[in-house]
Amino acid sequence: MNDTTTLNGGEWLIKETNPHDIFIPEECSEEQKMIRDMSRQFIKTEIIPALDRIDAQEPGLMRSLFKKAGDLGLLGASVPEEYGGIGKDIVTSAIISESLGWGHSFCVSVIAHTGIGTLPILYFGTEEQRKKYVPKLSTGEWIGAYGLTEPNSGSDALSAKTTATLSSDKKYYLLNGQKVWITNGGIADVYTVFAKVNGEQFTGCIVERGFEGFSHGPEEHKMGISGSSTVQLYFQDCKVPVENVLGDIGRGHIIAFNTLNTGRYKLCAATIGASKGAAHTSVKYANTREQFKTAIANFGAIKHKLAEMAIRTWVGESALYRTGKMIDDKEENLKAQGQSFEKAYLGAAEEYAIECAMLKVYGSEVLDFVVDEGVQIHGGNGFSAEYPISKAYRDSRVNRIYEGTNEINRLLTIDMMLKRAMKGKLNLMGPAVAVSKELMSIPEFGEEDETAFAKEKKYIVNFKKAILMVAGAAVQKLIMNLEKEQQIIMNLADMAIDIYHAESALLRLIKLTETFGETTTTLRADIVRTFIYDAADRINKAGKDALNAFADGDELRMMHIGLKRFTKVEPLNTKAARARIADKMIAENKYCF
């Protein structure tokens, strides 16, 4: 596919997307279906029966599971065959991450290993470094970890205090410092660690277990994901050979931030998979638990919960695979222009950093919602450690914290959009001005569009006008002070996240309907229409909160009127729509969308 049909990062806000240009899970290739089934079977047969042993951190167990996963190719999806992987696209990688999502602590360890544990070396390493480390990482012979966070530097990663000083014989860098919350830290063989050369130049390097001066602390006792290793790392004149510097000295931030784009994408995939697992567990329980002489699945309040689980999960899945296809298309374009595989991939991931940040926020918050409602459906049993939903509840909570907190990712979403606009890469100003002119004019009533989903398409167009109006006014009013107004930026991010996901779900629905016919997609239409109906109110509320914070008088009243116009949707019987969605799940006794 060429650049004319692939939108650049953030352009979905100002341009129309053709449904035929997106990827939907229903069009997986036979190979992708086989990989998905194999991944799910691995979780079912190898991980679920061993969850208690994994949580107890039985010595050697995680390593043996990694080796089994590696033998199946599950650890090397993104790795070219020449380095021991299976060389698949990011959509296939997402299919694996999603399928492993119900693997609790094992999934966390694998996502860390295949993402931040492997990719820095694959994409920023020298050919010698790649050949030495990547094949062993992609087969599971070695386990990877990533040392960025320190006791006093989390989201502000560049304020790290760990130092790297060249030894007198110039053969080693001597690392001194401490890293905290390191996933896989206690079991890893190779670590990507960030330090400041001469206390100033933020730089990545590769540290092996056994390097002189390197040690780690005991396992942390955590709220959830108990089976994943999490320790502190200590460096006391740790001798790192100069050939183990990763990338260029002083350019460690390039490695750190680019790696996080991929990490956020894969984390979203895993949370969508986990959401399906929790919804599946919840509907099975609701069908077997009886109160007042009937299964609780028959109660309207329970149906509402089950349907909302399905709605949010299906919508998240739609945005996940839409974004994956855009990254893959961009990577292919860059390769066609002569770029190396690593530069093409990094360029593609960076292009869609905005979308990856939004996916991370949405996916992690959907999973938190699903497991919370799952516990509620289970009642008192949901609070018992004997039921898997309680483990899912505890394990879910960390997803809103790592790979950049959801607050940081919300701020990044808008910050990256505005920076691209200022650099002329994203034309936000033109459409924003057009919307403000439209506000001052009499609405046009042209011929009614009678094509399928015309109403829903119009709603999405208007939602985009709503955020352009609010963001345009905020930029104009606050100018350089906007970056300090975090609450307003968060409001704008919430609007953007809802709009991107609503549009992604609608595009998927349209493509499905055109492929399989309207009669086969009735329940999916219920999902999309209910989500859009509810999103309209959320977008309106976030927009009002932002406007009220910086505008007043006639300007405020005018924009409130505009916001009301742009978020207006026709009445929808969401109770009936949710009942139809839930009834399907109840009849099939599983998450079935």
Side-chain angles (χ1 to χ4, degrees):
M1 183 172 286
N2 57 44
D3 273 321
T4 56
T5 51
T6 303
L7 297 183
N8 291 326
E11 279 191 336
W12 56 269
L13 185 56
I14 54 173
K15 291 185 179 178
E16 195 175 337
T17 298
N18 186 328
H20 296 286
D21 291 339
I22 72 161
F23 178 87
I24 60 175
E26 291 81 2
E27 58 185 351
C28 281
S29 67
E30 287 306 312
E31 184 185 38
Q32 287 171 330
K33 288 176 186 173
M34 186 186 75
I35 289 172
R36 180 188 63 200
D37 293 344
M38 179 176 67
S39 305
R40 289 178 179 174
Q41 188 65 21
F42 181 80
I43 292 296
K44 185 178 177 181
T45 58
E46 297 288 346
I47 304 305
I48 299 301
L51 283 178
D52 288 342
R53 294 165 58 208
I54 292 170
D55 273 1
Q57 296 200 9
E58 180 182 303
L61 177 59
M62 188 66 86
R63 183 168 290 279
S64 71
L65 293 171
F66 259 79
K67 193 70 185 73
K68 287 179 181 178
D71 290 343
L72 292 173
L74 300 180
L75 305 181
S78 305
V79 177
E81 292 179 24
E82 63 195 282
Y83 302 114
I86 57 174
K88 300 302 176 186
D89 56 17
I90 196 162
V91 165
T92 305
S93 171
I95 288 168
I96 294 174
S97 296
E98 186 204 312
S99 302
L100 298 180
W102 193 234
H104 297 273
S105 295
F106 175 77
C107 177
V108 171
S109 293
V110 166
I111 293 289
H113 168 85
T114 59
I116 54 180
T118 302
L119 297 185
I121 302 174
L122 178 65
Y123 291 122
F124 294 95
T126 62
E127 189 61 18
E128 292 74 18
Q129 288 169 344
R130 285 183 197 142
K131 285 179 177 173
K132 180 177 181 180
Y133 296 108
V134 177
K136 290 181 178 179
L137 290 167
S138 61
T139 57
E141 183 181 341
W142 277 4
I143 294 174
Y146 181 83
L148 178 63
T149 304
E150 298 188 3
N152 294 308
S153 69
S155 298
D156 182 17
L158 298 185
S159 67
K161 297 286 190 288
T162 299
T163 60
T165 309
L166 195 60
S167 62
S168 55
D169 60 9
K170 297 187 178 179
K171 290 182 178 179
Y172 300 95
Y173 277 100
L174 303 179
L175 256 59
N176 283 283
Q178 178 184 2
K179 300 290 179 180
V180 298
W181 302 117
I182 307 306
T183 303
N184 293 345
I187 59 172
D189 303 279
V190 57
Y191 305 72
T192 297
V193 176
F194 294 89
K196 286 184 174 174
V197 173
N198 302 322
E200 293 179 359
Q201 296 168 291
F202 191 72
T203 305
C205 61
I206 303 169
V207 176
E208 292 180 35
R209 175 178 290 277
F211 273 5
E212 185 182 329
F214 170 49
S215 61
H216 65 74
E219 292 291 338
E220 301 283 355
H221 296 289
K222 309 186 293 286
M223 179 196 294
I225 57 168
S226 304
S228 68
S229 171
T230 309
V231 300
Q232 296 190 28
L233 309 181
Y234 304 110
F235 305 97
Q236 195 165 7
D237 285 338
C238 172
K239 295 171 76 171
V240 179
V242 292
E243 57 268 26
N244 276 35
V245 167
L246 191 60
D248 298 324
I249 289 174
R251 303 279 287 169
H253 60 289
I254 303 294
I255 302 173
F257 298 149
N258 276 285
T259 304
L260 285 173
N261 292 330
T262 305
R264 287 166 184 152
Y265 181 80
K266 287 189 173 182
L267 179 60
C268 176
T271 56
I272 294 301
S275 295
K276 289 181 180 180
H280 179 74
T281 297
S282 299
V283 73
K284 286 173 78 75
Y285 182 83
N287 271 335
T288 56
R289 174 69 169 171
E290 288 197 0
Q291 290 291 284
F292 307 105
K293 298 180 180 177
T294 186
I296 64 170
N298 295 322
F299 298 138
I302 301 296
K303 287 185 180 185
H304 184 284
K305 294 178 187 302
L306 293 173
E308 192 59 22
M309 289 177 178
I311 289 166
R312 298 191 192 192
T313 301
W314 195 87
V315 168
E317 181 184 47
S318 305
L320 172 74
Y321 288 104
R322 174 193 185 185
T323 307
K325 173 74 158 51
M326 293 195 295
I327 296 172
D328 280 334
D329 285 348
K330 190 71 176 180
E331 183 180 6
E332 289 306 310
N333 288 330
L334 294 172
K335 281 181 185 172
Q337 292 168 24
Q339 292 201 13
S340 61
F341 85 90
E342 68 272 17
K343 285 187 176 173
Y345 180 81
L346 287 167
E350 186 180 11
E351 182 64 50
Y352 299 102
I354 293 168
E355 289 74 14
C356 290
M358 293 194 297
L359 289 177
K360 190 270 177 181
V361 172
Y362 183 91
S364 61
E365 292 182 1
V366 164
L367 179 56
D368 259 8
F369 170 83
V370 171
V371 296
D372 185 76
E373 290 287 59
V375 168
Q376 198 68 14
I377 288 170
H378 280 69
N381 287 334
F383 210 68
S384 166
E386 291 180 26
Y387 284 78
I389 197 68
S390 71
K391 178 193 292 293
Y393 181 89
R394 295 190 306 276
D395 289 351
S396 169
R397 187 57 184 85
V398 72
N399 293 310
R400 282 158 52 199
I401 297 170
Y402 57 23
E403 303 286 1
T405 67
N406 284 12
E407 291 72 25
I408 287 289
N409 276 289
R410 280 182 164 90
L411 297 174
L412 278 173
T413 295
I414 302 303
D415 179 63
M416 288 188 285
M417 277 193 175
L418 294 178
K419 279 181 177 167
R420 289 187 188 194
M422 287 166 65
K423 290 177 182 175
K425 289 181 70 179
L426 187 61
N427 177 24
L428 293 181
M429 194 49 68
V433 169
V435 171
S436 62
K437 282 182 182 175
E438 184 181 336
L439 272 183
M440 306 303 291
S441 62
I442 299 166
E444 289 182 21
F445 298 98
E447 287 185 24
E448 200 66 33
D449 184 353
E450 294 183 359
T451 58
F453 308 112
K455 263 193 307 196
E456 289 76 19
K457 288 181 199 169
K458 187 179 178 186
Y459 294 155
I460 300 297
V461 168
N462 282 340
F463 291 169
K464 292 180 183 182
K465 289 178 181 177
I467 189 173
L468 286 167
M469 179 193 76
V470 178
V475 170
Q476 204 170 18
K477 193 87 170 213
L478 300 168
I479 313 172
M480 300 309 291
N481 288 324
L482 178 58
E483 66 180 31
K484 298 174 186 172
E485 295 286 352
Q486 289 194 347
Q487 293 98 320
I488 294 172
I489 295 173
M490 303 274 268
N491 292 145
L492 293 171
D494 285 339
M495 295 173 81
I497 291 165
D498 256 329
I499 296 165
Y500 184 69
H501 283 81
E503 183 182 52
S504 300
L506 179 59
L507 291 167
R508 179 182 180 185
L509 174 62
I510 292 169
K511 189 170 187 178
L512 272 175
T513 304
E514 290 177 358
T515 307
F516 300 108
E518 208 164 330
T519 53
T520 62
T521 57
T522 309
L523 291 174
R524 273 75 175 176
D526 281 333
I527 286 173
V528 174
R529 288 183 174 124
T530 303
F531 186 85
I532 289 175
Y533 181 83
D534 289 343
D537 279 344
R538 293 194 295 267
I539 293 165
N540 180 277
K541 174 74 165 63
K544 283 193 295 192
D545 287 349
L547 290 172
N548 295 343
F550 67 81
D552 54 29
D554 289 341
E555 180 192 27
L556 179 60
R557 280 188 288 275
M558 177 62 74
M559 285 194 289
H560 266 275
I561 292 168
L563 191 60
K564 187 175 180 182
R565 185 204 299 182
F566 295 141
T567 56
K568 184 180 179 184
V569 292
E570 290 183 14
L572 178 71
N573 186 348
T574 56
K575 172 183 171 288
R578 282 195 177 89
R580 289 190 291 269
I581 295 164
D583 285 343
K584 178 69 171 172
M585 294 171 72
I586 291 162
E588 296 205 17
N589 199 30
K590 63 180 182 179
Y591 174 86
C592 53
F593 299 104

